[in-house]
Amino acid sequence: MRSGGAGRVDERGWRRPWRGLGRGRGRGRVLAGLAVLVGCLLVFHGAVPEVAGRPGSLLEAFLPWFGLAVPVLAALALLRRSAVAAGAVLLPAAAWLGLFGGFLLPGDDRPPDLLAVQHNVGDENPDPVGTARALAGTRADLLALEELTPAAAPAYAAVLAPQYPYHAVQGTVGLWSKHPLAQVMPVDIRPTGVGEGWNRGLRATARTPRGDVAVYVAHLPSVRLGPAHGFDSVRRDESARLLGAAIAAEPAGPLILLGDLNGTVDDRGLAPIVSRLERPSRDFAFSWPASLPLARIDQVLTRSATVTRLRTLPATGSDHLPVAARISRRGSP
């Protein structure tokens, strides 16, 4: 008697199961394993050790992009007709939505108490006048600029002066405001081994109609990515600790940090700052590089205030995109 069912008939007339089915189940297990790995990296990215090359910080710099693995894995699971793999894909999908799903929700359209724009204008910007005009056109209450060169700073000051009568510059960072500025001072975030002329931090008090707000502008050191040292963020992380300590010492009250922090809010190297402030709850607003934005390293973080909406603005002559934030103070209706 010959066995029934689909399969291959051998020389004795017996039917054997297709070998491809076994391979299919194996591939399903591999896909399921990959899906579980992606889900675990999303949920437990903080557990990735900072060994040589700092893979943890590198992973966190591009964490939102791990969501692209979900449709790829789902398509492969359907192609292989693997229920195990399809079920496993739900793990990274749920993890990504838990981390970033809120970014897809509509922003709060209520009139903000303040509109702030953060922009690294670029020290090689070929058109500072055009960039300044674009920034003035935002009608923001506060403009924070980084990489102000001595040659370009007068152009920004001249163009912005009619709308922004108050401004302060410390080194290569500046703040322009529609409201009076007081208590302007540098903030020392210079890492070890950097010359004394390096000044990338300032602090001022903005006298707004709804009360005083402490405003910080900062530009942390760049990170380096290469085969020799991996993700090198030592100097940036040291500056982040110095800036975090300055913020921690700030008296209670509303505070806004505007700056090119050369890292995302998920990057553990910025934890000394991010742990003390409130991050925006919506909008990816990838700001760098301007030609193909992959990450938001230009940040607007707050204390006793909330960023209700964050978005990037059209490109200027810089390699960064400007970032505009609508900010509401605590207790605002």
Side-chain angles (χ1 to χ4, degrees):
M1 183 176 177
R2 296 179 178 178
S3 62
R8 180 175 60 84
V9 180
D10 64 13
E11 64 276 3
R12 294 176 297 174
W14 292 92
R15 292 188 180 273
R16 294 181 177 179
W18 293 108
R19 292 179 180 177
L21 292 178
R23 288 197 297 268
R25 286 194 295 271
R27 284 194 293 269
R29 289 194 292 270
V30 170
L31 287 174
L34 288 174
V36 171
L37 175 62
V38 172
C40 289
L41 288 174
L42 283 166
V43 176
F44 303 111
H45 56 88
V48 178
E50 285 291 63
V51 294
R54 305 178 69 81
S57 289
L58 180 60
L59 164 69
E60 290 158 346
F62 301 101
L63 200 61
W65 293 100
F66 274 64
L68 294 179
V70 174
V72 173
L73 290 170
L76 291 174
L78 290 175
L79 184 64
R80 296 291 184 260
R81 298 182 181 181
S82 171
V84 172
V89 171
L90 295 177
L91 175 61
W96 190 90
L97 287 173
L99 289 171
F100 304 110
F103 290 15
L104 304 176
L105 299 175
D108 190 338
D109 289 327
R110 291 179 298 174
D113 294 320
L114 288 171
L115 177 62
V117 170
Q118 148 62 27
H119 191 29
N120 179 326
V121 296
D123 57 6
E124 297 181 356
N125 190 325
D127 185 18
V129 171
T131 298
R133 287 173 178 165
L135 295 172
T138 66
R139 300 182 179 179
D141 297 279
L142 301 170
L143 296 175
L145 311 184
E146 298 84 44
E147 292 196 8
L148 286 169
T149 64
Y156 288 102
V159 174
L160 296 175
Q163 293 189 50
Y164 298 91
Y166 311 99
H167 82 278
V169 175
Q170 295 286 340
T172 58
V173 299
L175 175 65
W176 273 259
S177 174
K178 290 185 175 181
H179 311 294
L181 297 177
Q183 300 172 320
V184 177
M185 63 187 70
V187 178
D188 186 5
I189 58 173
R190 180 167 53 96
T192 303
V194 176
E196 293 184 1
W198 193 94
N199 189 350
R200 293 188 180 185
L202 73 80
R203 184 257 186 226
T205 298
R207 310 281 196 195
T208 77
R210 292 188 58 84
D212 291 355
V213 178
V215 182
Y216 280 73
V217 181
H219 183 192
L220 300 191
S222 300
V223 299
R224 296 288 183 265
L225 182 61
H229 304 288
F231 191 81
D232 182 1
S233 62
V234 173
R235 286 184 171 178
R236 185 210 60 184
D237 295 351
E238 183 180 351
S239 281
R241 290 191 291 270
L242 293 170
L243 180 57
I247 290 171
E250 185 73 30
L255 182 150
I256 301 171
L257 168 63
L258 303 157
D260 174 4
L261 304 187
N262 271 303
T264 69
V265 292
D266 297 303
D267 189 328
R268 70 190 68 181
L270 299 186
I273 301 169
V274 178
S275 63
R276 294 182 169 96
L277 300 174
E278 179 180 322
R279 65 176 73 184
S281 59
R282 294 185 177 92
D283 303 300
F284 291 103
F286 296 144
S287 63
W288 180 88
S291 57
L292 182 63
L294 296 174
R296 187 176 77 244
I297 63 176
D298 297 274
Q299 306 296 349
V300 181
L301 305 175
T302 56
R303 186 186 72 187
S304 299
T306 301
V307 175
T308 59
R309 191 167 189 177
L310 193 71
R311 64 188 179 95
T312 54
L313 302 176
T316 66
S318 172
D319 59 342
H320 292 241
L321 295 178
V323 173
R326 298 160 66 98
I327 302 172
S328 293
R329 295 184 56 169
R330 289 281 192 270
S332 295

